[in-house]
Amino acid sequence: MFLFRRPASSPPGPPRFFLYLEAALLLLLSLSLLSSYTKRYPLFNQADSSLYELKEDQGENAGKEPSKMPSESKPKISDSAENTQEKKFIRWVDFTITADALDKAFRFDLDTCLSTPHLNWIELLAYLGARYGGDFSRYKASDMDSLAEKLLQGESMENLTKEMKYYPYYLEAYTAVLGGMVGPFREEIPAEQAPESGNTGNTQGAENGLDAENMSDAENSPDTQNTQDTVWVTKYGLKAFSPIASGFPYSDFDDFGTARSYGFKRQHLGHDMMGQVGTPIIAVESGIVEALGWNQYGGWRIGIRSLDNKRYYYYAHLRKNYPYQSNLEVGSRVQAGDVIGYMGRTGYSSKENTNNIDEPHLHFGIQLIFDESQKEGNNEIWISCYELVKFLRQNQCLTQKIPDTKEWQRVYKTEEK
């Protein structure tokens, strides 16, 4: 008979029950500490995973990213955690409107600019945005035709959208992107293209590719272009420009969100337009120069804020030695269509004026700003520009070389009305 005995060197331990109890208490204490920490210091910031604080939608869609949510379910606003008093503003915009949808909505707006009702292109797009849940891969031209027909027959947008919970969100978001791009403006044109005195009608724009624009109030101008007299006319239409001047070739593709590794791994938050060194770069919209100088990532770059303060346009990798138009400085006001700089390949270096980009191109970016706290830091909102740039290509600015200089200038001027 064998007897098993505990070795004399091993002291008796506590029963297993007490070991399990101690482990359970330690686990509960750890979970409590973790919960307290994450409430004070969230694991995800607003720019990464938690794009919105949902106050109303706590059902099956709560916490989903807007672009992955079904129709009629995108949240519109969130609060600022920095203020004890609730401060609401949009935290994120996933801009997926196609160039075809932009153009069709614009044509409805343009064709009805002298009519009642006048169809507002942003309202048309916001309606479809609410219908599609922001996903314009679902876009059908017939959907916009049907909406336009209802409005032209007398139905109001207010009535059509009264059951669309997130229509106000899309209207505000898309207005932030497109709000300064269509409307009345004044333009200088060759005198022989001016409408007859007193004529107010829809006429095709001469040099900028705009169809069926309202032209009126022609008046003499003391300026001349190429020894040719010009006049100023009032127009309604597309007053934003392509960032590349007319006659200069470029190529591009949808590269928003692709990987970048210089400095640190990150996403590409702009749109690259490949071309030739020295290509004139055009101000897409009127605004104020907020940034001018060297940036380690963007090289020589220009930052321009729109006049309504909602959009920040970023033009980067400009030409070595002569990146900007000579009259520009921080605080300068630029007009849509002005030449502001020249394509190059500077950047990716802490040393100024370094060509460290392999292929000459313009990095063009648009940042949306609903609150000044979003201008810098983790809460920045950059949108995909590829489809918007395709749409703007119909309005490229005609430029000419200034003799004996390295600069180009626009041929015909425009101004806000």
Side-chain angles (χ1 to χ4, degrees), residues 282-384:
I282 304 299
V284 169
E285 190 180 344
S286 300
I288 306 298
V289 176
E290 283 194 354
L292 192 77
W294 183 262
N295 177 290
Q296 178 177 350
Y297 298 93
W300 294 122
R301 90 316 188 190
I302 302 173
I304 298 175
R305 182 81 76 98
S306 64
L307 297 178
D308 64 3
N309 291 320
K310 292 294 186 181
R311 291 166 295 287
Y312 178 76
Y313 292 93
Y314 182 70
Y315 309 82
H317 306 312
L318 302 180
R319 180 174 60 184
K320 183 177 180 179
N321 297 326
Y322 208 103
Y324 317 120
Q325 204 74 338
S326 59
N327 62 341
L328 286 188
E329 58 185 23
V330 173
S332 295
R333 175 166 175 157
V334 299
Q335 183 67 34
D338 284 351
V339 177
I340 56 174
Y342 302 93
M343 185 182 294
R345 57 186 191 91
T346 60
Y348 281 16
S349 175
S350 58
K351 183 180 179 181
E352 284 193 3
N353 209 32
T354 299
N355 276 337
N356 218 14
I357 302 295
D358 292 334
E359 186 174 358
H361 69 274
L362 170 70
H363 172 104
F364 174 65
I366 299 178
Q367 180 188 5
L368 303 183
I369 303 168
F370 297 93
D371 184 86
E372 284 302 312
S373 64
Q374 298 174 310
K375 181 60 174 65
E376 306 285 349
N378 292 330
N379 294 321
E380 296 176 8
I381 303 174
W382 295 90
I383 63 167
S384 175

Side-chain angles (χ1 to χ4, degrees), residues 104-114 118-119 121 182 202 210-214 236-238:
K104 191 172 184 66
F106 166 61
R107 299 295 162 182
F108 275 125
D109 190 312
L110 192 62
D111 291 344
T112 60
C113 68
L114 298 179
H118 173 203
L119 304 187
W121 75 311
V182 171
N202 290 334
L210 299 184
D211 294 332
E213 289 191 321
N214 174 42
Y236 181 95
L238 184 60

Side-chain angles (χ1 to χ4, degrees), residues 189 193 195 199-201 203-204 213-217 233-235:
I189 65 171
Q193 295 179 7
N199 177 47
T200 301
T203 310
Q204 178 150 340
E213 289 191 321
N214 174 42
M215 304 173 63
S216 63
D217 301 331
V233 295
T234 298
K235 292 186 174 185

